[in-house]
Amino acid sequence: MSLREEVLAANLALPGHGLVVLTSGNASGIDRERGLVAIKPSGVAYDVMTAEDLVIVDLDGNVVEGEHRPSTDTPTHVALYRAFDEIGGIVHTHSTWATSWAQAQREIPVLGTTHADFSAHPVPITRPLSEAEVDAEYEAATGEVIIEAVGEAGPLEVPAVLVRGHAPFCWAASPAKAVEAAVTLEQVAQLAAVTEQLEPGVAGLDELLLSKHHGRKHGPQAYYGQSR
């Protein structure tokens, strides 16, 4: 499957999972050897989008191929690709539950094993952008605060970040896996919100269970799923 086909499939999966409405959100993928990124065109509806509609940009965000303007979030995507060599796909949504946490300006705490399977860390919230950052290169600055929020843990340990007042960005080794991260994040966000409604101030997941569940799916001792 070509990069365009991979990225098209990832974009088309977003409305199917209920993660976007109308033309919001976007998915991208990168060809590391060529240093090129395929990304959704700005404002094009998912139900009419084709592989040819996708825009190819370099890691500075310059258009290399395509007749459309790339997503307005392109500077954020390329900033993440430049910073994180480990990732091969990025998904940005405005999904209801994850976006609600972003609008509440709160990180998502690790309250249960569903979250631990996804990440051993809370889903972080970015710091506020300064007036200068918003006025100058807003989308690029968004990428920088996401990178800051990931911190030393790295993008494989922190597979998603909430942009304060905005919405989530997720990533993984491929566009398809980035979609899976976005789907899982939405479930984690919903479970955490409902849990806090049922038990305000609930304690985080016990460290023993957190470590066990995360280790079953991640790292050298992982044993979840099939070996082939």
Side-chain angles (χ1 to χ4, degrees), residues 141-156:
T142 297
E144 293 305 315
V145 295
I146 292 172
I147 294 163
E148 289 176 17
V150 170
E152 294 183 0
L156 300 184

Side-chain angles (χ1 to χ4, degrees), residues 132-197:
E133 287 171 324
V134 172
D135 288 345
E137 297 183 4
Y138 167 65
E139 291 83 5
T142 297
E144 293 305 315
V145 295
I146 292 172
I147 294 163
E148 289 176 17
V150 170
E152 294 183 0
L156 300 184
E157 286 294 315
V158 180
V161 165
L162 306 176
V163 178
R164 184 178 295 265
H166 183 35
F169 281 79
C170 306
W171 44 81
S174 68
K177 290 294 184 182
V179 172
E180 291 182 14
V183 171
T184 306
L185 173 64
E186 183 68 353
Q187 183 186 32
V188 165
Q190 181 177 9
L191 289 170
V194 173
T195 300
E196 290 210 346
Q197 288 178 334

Side-chain angles (χ1 to χ4, degrees), residues 25-67:
N26 42 72
S28 71
I30 186 169
D31 180 334
R32 287 286 179 186
E33 290 187 2
R34 300 173 64 201
L36 297 178
V37 173
I39 193 165
K40 176 182 177 289
S42 180
V44 174
Y46 290 94
D47 60 355
V48 299
M49 193 184 308
T50 68
E52 289 69 32
D53 290 323
L54 299 177
V55 185
I56 307 298
V57 301
D58 64 21
L59 284 172
D60 292 318
N62 301 308
V63 174
V64 175
E65 297 176 21
E67 297 181 357

Side-chain angles (χ1 to χ4, degrees), residues 11 58 111 118-119 151 197 225:
N11 276 288
D58 64 21
L111 299 181
F118 178 59
S119 173
Q197 288 178 334

Side-chain angles (χ1 to χ4, degrees), residues 7 10 28 32 62 128 141 148 173 176 185 189 199 207 210 213 228:
V7 174
S28 71
R32 287 286 179 186
N62 301 308
E148 289 176 17
L185 173 64
E199 188 64 35
E207 184 65 32
L210 191 162
H213 270 262
R228 293 178 61 87

